[in-house]
Amino acid sequence: MQKFDTLTGVAAPLPIVNIDTDMIIPKDYLKTIKRTGLGVGLFANMRYREDGSPDPDFVLNKPAYSKAEILIAGDNFGCGSSREHAPWALLDFGIRCVISTSFADIFYNNCFQNGILPIRVTPQELEELLKDAEKGSNARLSVDLDTQEIRRPDGQVIHFDLEASRKHRLLNGLDDIGTTLERAPGISTFEQKLAEDRPWA
């Protein structure tokens, strides 16, 4: 899993509340178990017209946001079903950080398993960040995981909270398997002692 330390990039504003996982990646794109290639289906129902052509009014189709790495979204982002394809689609498009006032629990946990940093901010902070994002590519945000800070284009800083264990995992690019492998020496020692104490087992 890719490490996350500092990310500086364009932030796309998506001020819609209750964006569920079906909106993030519609069911038509769930026929694969691969983590790649899903970026094309990200927000497909909003991103494309009925004839399949890109809707120029949707934020990620606008030139200023076509390579956005940060998403500023409304409250309760990622609600609905538990599909892990949702963070896969965000990551495949290039989104490494999602900022909102709240997230659905399963989506929130899935983000950390895939190298995406979900940040919770206050409603007032979200409004400020949305205003920054609306300035397009002229206003880039910087997210520093180590210091747990969002640096706005005007130099102001927003601090965010994050559990130490989740921070450690992202900084070191560790999913559940990677976290287990960190304890490999201790596991090996335990297994060796068990074999010595219970050779019949």
Side-chain angles (χ1 to χ4, degrees), residues 2-200:
Q2 186 177 353
K3 296 179 181 180
F4 191 112
D5 41 38
T6 301
L7 172 64
T8 300
V10 173
L14 194 62
I16 302 173
V17 299
N18 300 320
I19 293 178
D20 62 31
T21 51
D22 190 57
M23 294 170 68
I24 298 173
I25 181 72
K27 62 182 182 301
D28 299 345
Y29 295 88
L30 306 185
K31 299 172 184 177
T32 178
I33 57 172
K34 294 181 180 179
R35 300 187 182 199
T36 57
L38 290 168
V40 67
L42 181 67
F43 300 118
N45 292 338
M46 294 185 286
R47 194 166 150 204
Y48 303 110
R49 294 170 168 165
E50 288 187 9
D51 64 1
S53 62
D55 183 345
D57 293 329
F58 184 67
V59 61
L60 295 181
N61 290 334
K62 297 179 180 180
Y65 302 107
S66 62
K67 295 185 179 179
E69 296 176 90
I70 302 168
L71 188 66
I72 315 294
D75 190 56
N76 197 29
F77 188 86
C79 57
S81 69
S82 60
R83 66 187 65 168
E84 195 169 9
H85 292 72
W88 293 354
L90 287 164
L91 191 63
D92 194 62
F93 181 86
I95 302 292
R96 294 291 318 279
C97 177
V98 182
I99 302 174
S100 180
T101 49
S102 70
F103 298 89
D105 286 342
I106 295 177
F107 174 83
Y108 185 77
N109 292 328
N110 282 340
C111 281
F112 291 102
Q113 294 284 4
N114 292 281
I116 297 175
L117 173 61
I119 298 176
R120 297 187 183 105
V121 295
T122 67
Q124 181 179 348
E125 290 168 339
L126 186 74
E127 287 300 317
E128 293 171 351
L129 292 169
L130 282 170
K131 290 178 182 177
D132 289 338
E134 287 167 0
K135 297 174 184 176
S137 56
N138 293 323
R140 295 162 67 86
L141 295 180
S142 183
V143 178
D144 190 324
L145 177 56
D146 187 45
T147 61
Q148 296 177 214
E149 293 177 339
I150 303 169
R151 297 188 183 93
R152 299 176 58 198
D154 62 4
Q156 293 189 45
V157 172
I158 295 174
H159 180 82
F160 61 90
D161 295 322
L162 188 65
E163 300 95 325
S165 60
R166 296 187 188 276
K167 178 178 178 178
H168 171 77
R169 290 172 61 149
L170 276 180
L171 284 172
N172 293 280
L174 301 172
D175 56 13
D176 282 347
I177 294 174
T179 302
T180 301
L181 290 175
E182 274 195 315
R183 297 175 172 83
I187 294 171
S188 296
T189 300
F190 172 81
E191 290 180 337
Q192 182 177 353
K193 186 175 186 305
L194 185 65
E196 293 171 354
D197 294 344
R198 301 180 180 180
W200 63 86

